[in-house]
Amino acid sequence: MTARSTTRPGGSAVARTVLMNPGPVNTDETVRAALGGPDLCHREPEFGALMTRVRRKITAVCGGGDDHTSVVLTGSGTSALEAAVACAVPAGGALLVVDNGHYGQRLHDIARAHGIRCVRLELGWGTPVDADRVDRELAADPGLTHLAVVHHETSTGMLNDVAALAKVARAHGRRIIVDAVSSVGAESLDLARDGIDWLVGTANKCLEGMPGLAFVCASRQAFEDLATHPRRSYYLDLHRHYAAQEKAQAPAFTPAVPLFYAFETALDLALAEGVAARGRRYGALAGRLRTGLAALGLHIPLDPRHRAVSLTVVRLPEGVRYAHLHRALKDEGFVVYAAQEELSAGFFRLSTMGTMDARDIDRFLSVLSRILPGLRELTAGGEAA
């Protein structure tokens, strides 16, 4: 089986690289083509209309109702997450962070960087969240105004039960901030249904857009209330962006205009497919991948009950170094991802986000089966990683 091709803007064919890293992802041809939209001044009403459509479609994908809206930032998912944490917590407020992986730690670090009191509930990587323990933590510290949690913790592939934690937060009269950067668009997640106060996402993962845009979704009232909160940032001041985008229908600062063309196209595709259907598509690919990995004798450590549909953490094969594996797979047209920190020595990660299909998974498994013996011999021969 040979690799498929894609086409350069000039028309020449190039071998298609399958991105098995968890974003940026392989995108639809129409999304890439949309980047070549007309030159447009961001202060003209045409861009304001485009931005407003994108915001409306983001809110729909996130399950928001008429009283919800979205703010779009030019930046990575981390920029939107930092904006949400820095702006949502009021003066004198404090944050309880659920930490069971690298990105839970990131929430804690963002809060500390802005001088926000933060209690870190450190569970250990890959440990499921105990809603009862969160309940006890909130009850024990009335000064905690917000709870923050990662929905899909991509350092381990774990999916945290956001709906259960939102219910606990509501019972205590607290607000919840959800890092949905690696889940929105494919996992079951709904602003209104699940009672989420602040939802943070990005264009370039399960929404299958291009990297460089991120967003925060919340109720309009929540955005309005930010007017009384401390201004802990200038560019990442969510109230500033909300006032510009919602009331003036214009960006607060110069945005990445071509990315809005591409993101609207990606959002149209996501809305047409539907979140549940996209989740089933990703889940089928993940199931096919995991079955094939098991047949090759490779171990997936995370309990199946807690696995996200779009990412699999795999133990490195015996006698194989990640650097060798990455290089050999990249030569064959596949980009895989290193594990982080606590898992970096013995694991790697495989994403099933984006426009890959069953043919990509089957070819990947075939290539992996073929190259593994040589990689083991390479390590045995003593070549440095």
Side-chain angles (χ1 to χ4, degrees):
M1 186 181 296
T2 57
R4 285 179 285 158
S5 297
T6 187
T7 304
R8 288 193 180 99
S12 60
V14 293
R16 176 174 179 269
T17 297
V18 180
L19 301 180
M20 301 187 78
N21 52 281
V25 300
N26 291 109
T27 57
D28 191 86
E29 292 284 354
T30 60
V31 174
R32 288 195 296 277
L35 287 169
D39 294 335
L40 182 60
C41 174
H42 64 291
R43 295 299 177 194
E44 292 300 305
E46 292 85 355
F47 180 77
L50 170 62
M51 183 182 64
T52 298
R53 293 194 305 270
V54 166
R55 293 174 57 228
R56 185 177 67 247
K57 291 170 183 180
I58 289 170
T59 306
V61 167
C62 294
D66 292 340
D67 59 338
H68 291 95
T69 192
S70 301
V71 164
V72 187
L73 302 175
T74 294
S76 67
T78 306
S79 71
L81 189 64
E82 182 165 0
V85 171
C87 298
V89 181
L95 189 67
L96 174 64
V97 169
V98 175
D99 177 2
N100 61 351
H102 173 84
Y103 294 99
Q105 171 72 46
R106 176 173 68 174
L107 285 166
H108 169 265
D109 292 346
I110 289 171
R112 291 289 300 274
H114 290 279
I116 297 168
R117 184 170 77 86
C118 184
V119 175
R120 179 179 169 207
L121 181 56
E122 189 175 4
L123 302 175
W125 282 40
T127 302
V129 181
D130 180 353
D132 290 337
R133 184 171 174 188
V134 174
D135 179 78
R136 293 192 298 272
E137 292 285 340
L138 291 175
D141 189 342
L144 295 170
T145 56
H146 288 70
L147 170 67
V149 63
V150 178
H151 189 207
H152 174 196
E153 176 57 75
T154 51
S155 60
T156 62
M158 171 165 276
L159 198 68
N160 289 319
D161 190 346
V162 163
L165 296 181
K167 184 177 180 180
V168 171
R170 287 196 305 275
H172 288 275
R174 317 296 172 81
R175 306 286 187 178
I176 185 169
I177 301 168
V178 176
D179 174 349
V181 166
S182 296
S183 62
V184 65
E187 299 286 358
S188 179
L189 187 69
D190 190 287
L191 268 169
R193 181 198 67 202
D194 297 334
I196 297 169
D197 297 293
W198 297 95
L199 187 153
V200 179
T202 189
N204 63 288
K205 292 182 182 278
C206 299
L207 290 175
E208 300 184 2
M210 305 302 292
L213 294 181
F215 55 86
V216 180
C217 296
S219 70
R220 284 185 173 81
Q221 188 58 57
F223 279 113
E224 292 282 355
D225 291 344
L226 296 182
T228 64
H229 289 201
R231 299 299 176 94
R232 298 186 176 100
S233 178
Y234 188 83
Y235 182 77
L236 299 180
D237 181 351
L238 272 183
H239 188 264
R240 183 193 308 277
H241 287 281
Y242 165 75
Q245 295 183 18
E246 179 76 7
K247 299 176 182 180
Q249 294 194 339
F253 307 104
T254 305
V257 173
L259 297 181
F260 278 82
Y261 290 129
F263 197 17
E264 182 174 33
T265 302
L267 287 165
D268 287 341
L269 292 172
L271 288 166
E273 183 174 14
V275 172
R278 181 161 292 184
R280 288 192 295 271
R281 173 163 63 88
Y282 285 8
L285 293 173
R288 193 181 193 97
L289 174 65
R290 292 162 184 168
T291 298
L293 292 170
L296 292 175
L298 302 185
H299 176 60
I300 302 168
L302 190 64
D303 187 321
R305 295 173 297 175
H306 302 298
R307 292 176 188 168
V309 298
S310 59
L311 188 108
T312 303
V313 172
V314 189
R315 186 179 293 279
L316 280 167
E318 184 70 27
V320 173
R321 295 174 179 171
Y322 173 76
H324 296 161
L325 177 68
H326 179 273
R327 184 189 313 148
L329 286 170
K330 189 173 181 178
D331 288 344
E332 297 281 351
F334 296 94
V335 173
V336 299
Y337 218 47
Q340 293 165 293
E341 295 158 24
E342 296 187 21
L343 302 182
S344 61
F347 296 86
F348 68 106
R349 293 179 288 174
L350 299 171
S351 167
T352 43
M353 299 175 186
T355 59
M356 71 179 71
D357 60 25
R359 292 171 294 172
D360 295 317
I361 299 299
D362 291 346
R363 191 171 75 84
F364 172 79
L365 291 167
S366 175
V367 167
L368 185 61
S369 176
R370 172 167 52 82
I371 67 174
L372 281 179
L375 293 177
R376 291 188 175 100
E377 291 174 6
L378 186 62
T379 301
E383 181 179 322

